[in-house]
Amino acid sequence: MKVLMQWSSLSIGYDKKPLVENLDLIIRSPEILCVVGETGIGKSTLLRFIAGLQEKERLSGTVTEVNQIRKAMVFQETDQIFPWKRVLSNVMIGMSKTTENLSQAKAILRELGIEDKKDAYPYTLSGGQKQRVAIARALMRKPDLLLMDEPFGSLDVQNRKKNQEILRQLFWHHELSVVFVTHDLQEAIDLGDRILLLKNPGHHQYYEVTDKNRQLLLPQLLSEMRI
Amino acid sequence: MNRWLKHILVIISFMMLWQLVFWWGIYPTASFPSVFHIFRALWMEFTQGDLSRQLLITLWTITKGVGVGALLAVILAFVWRKKGIVGDMIATMVSVAHPLPGIALLPLLILWFGIGERVIVVMIVHAVVWPMLINIKAGLDNMPVIYHQIADVFSLSSKTRIFEIALPSSLPFMLSGLKTGWARAWRAMIAGEMVFGVIGQSGGLGTYLFQKRVFMDTPGLLAGLLVIIAMGIFVEEFFFSFLENSTIKRWGMGQ
């Protein structure tokens, strides 16, 4: 497993107040790294920072990226899909409509189980399907690093389970590195290869998820969060 | 009861009332013709007179004016979004020019551009550009933050950002600005044409109305008014509905 991106002593925050402090962040390829922690602890800020959306919030730290890595992001909001574009156009936004790109987009939609919706307008889709369109749009960029900000947070349990399953299959197929922010510890355990628990500024911890410790992690994480 | 049925019933009642007043005979026939005279004049003007030609002139002129005004509004709205002196200048220009009725500009426009269709087009551009500009700017300002973030994360080009995200996203605002602009333009247009009718220049429905008054052709005059009303209703009720149904309603956007 190679290292895709590495941060040393990273501090980010607003108005010089650190939200995340002194974090050594390594992203491997491939892996799913789930970031958990209480609301307002800085999970989304960290993710948006990695995406390059909040560069000015960096207080200190150095980065080592392996070459120039391609990043793509899936947001939490279901309205991240443009309502005036049909599903296929949403997936292909900003890309030339070559035969190759078109067939790739259709293949990704097929993989996500929404190929039959390629000509539909987003308002006809369910929340779960919209999130899958967002994932398809991200995958079209052939990203090295896929950033996901509670993408299934607003879905009902059934849809969430289904999307998690699909994500896991995609992960294997595309050999992705995923940073997945969630407030749901069970989701992090089910999906993640590693879990980063953010506690207070300067306090965070990594957990490797293995088949052996999968059952035991939930109580451990819960008790850690309370400390 | 169906909305349109209600409208039609009210119109029929109004025509019956009109006809009753005519039969009562308190006004001279020359200035208060019967409903039948008015509709006969309408038919004659369309088939033998030049009402259809005048209507086409009016529609063509207003289409040009609204087209130029809308395009100008879109460009100015994007310039306005840029911070700095140019944006401030546009903001001031909007507050100064927006409340000014187009017809008040006419004397000045005649001095600058002479007499003719060009002046009316400029007046329509003035009527359309400010309300549309204000609305498009509001649309751009209200664009969800997430759209900006998506454009950043996916490194979308400026062309894609403008034509595939910013403009469609502000379309509900744009259409509402176009409606206001149209209403202002339609009124300014008829008024302007009428002024030019006085000096025997130009054409269009306003000129037509003025000529009918000169020749005391009251049924023809009322026929012209009916056409103006019908056009107004057509554009506001059908044309704008068509635009909305084929865009924002089709996309489930609403307002």
Side-chain angles (χ1 to χ4, degrees), chain B residues 160-175:
Chain B
T160 309
R161 282 168 190 252
I162 292 174
F163 291 103
E164 294 187 46
I165 301 180
L167 285 179
S169 155
S170 41
L171 198 63
F173 289 85
M174 219 182 281
L175 284 177

Side-chain angles (χ1 to χ4, degrees), chain B residues 10 52 67 91 94-95 107 111 117 127 148 151 205 208 220 241 247:
Chain B
V10 171
S52 41
V94 170
S95 4
L111 279 179
E117 192 204 20
H148 293 287
L205 289 173
Y208 168 89
S241 295
T247 55

Side-chain angles (χ1 to χ4, degrees), chain A residues 183-199:
Chain A
H183 65 271
D184 181 347
L185 296 177
Q186 191 58 54
E187 184 173 54
I189 295 165
D190 291 344
L191 272 179
D193 299 306
R194 277 194 307 153
I195 294 173
L196 167 62
L197 170 66
L198 296 181
K199 289 192 275 188

Side-chain angles (χ1 to χ4, degrees), chain B residues 80 128 157 228:
Chain B
W80 192 359
V128 172
S157 67
I228 292 175

Side-chain angles (χ1 to χ4, degrees), chain A residues 156-217:
Chain A
D156 56 64
V157 180
Q158 244 176 340
N159 262 309
R160 191 186 301 187
K161 285 280 171 219
K162 189 171 181 185
N163 279 5
Q164 283 171 1
E165 218 168 278
I166 288 171
L167 179 68
R168 200 71 217 178
Q169 282 165 6
L170 286 173
F171 166 75
W172 285 113
H173 184 203
H174 294 266
E175 295 203 327
L176 290 166
S177 292
V178 181
V179 179
F180 190 101
V181 164
T182 177
H183 65 271
D184 181 347
L185 296 177
Q186 191 58 54
E187 184 173 54
I189 295 165
D190 291 344
L191 272 179
D193 299 306
R194 277 194 307 153
I195 294 173
L196 167 62
L197 170 66
L198 296 181
K199 289 192 275 188
N200 301 310
H203 293 88
H204 48 264
Q205 203 160 341
Y206 284 101
Y207 299 86
E208 294 280 344
V209 185
T210 58
D211 288 337
K212 278 184 192 164
N213 73 357
R214 210 175 280 274
Q215 306 296 328
L216 306 166
L217 259 178

Side-chain angles (χ1 to χ4, degrees), chain A residues 48 53 72-73 75 77 79-80 82-86 94 121 123 137 141, chain B residues 146-147 149-150 152-154 156 160 164-165 168-169 249-253:
Chain A
R48 278 157 203 251
L53 290 173
M73 186 156 173
F75 295 83
E77 298 88 340
D79 62 3
Q80 65 187 294
F82 301 116
W84 52 88
K85 283 181 167 289
R86 293 170 197 270
Y121 280 107
Y123 80 97
R137 180 173 63 188
R141 267 72 196 169
Chain B
I146 194 161
Y147 293 170
Q149 292 179 333
I150 289 166
D152 287 345
V153 169
F154 293 118
L156 298 179
T160 309
E164 294 187 46
I165 301 180
S169 155
K249 285 197 179 144
R250 188 174 177 212
W251 304 333
M253 276 170 88

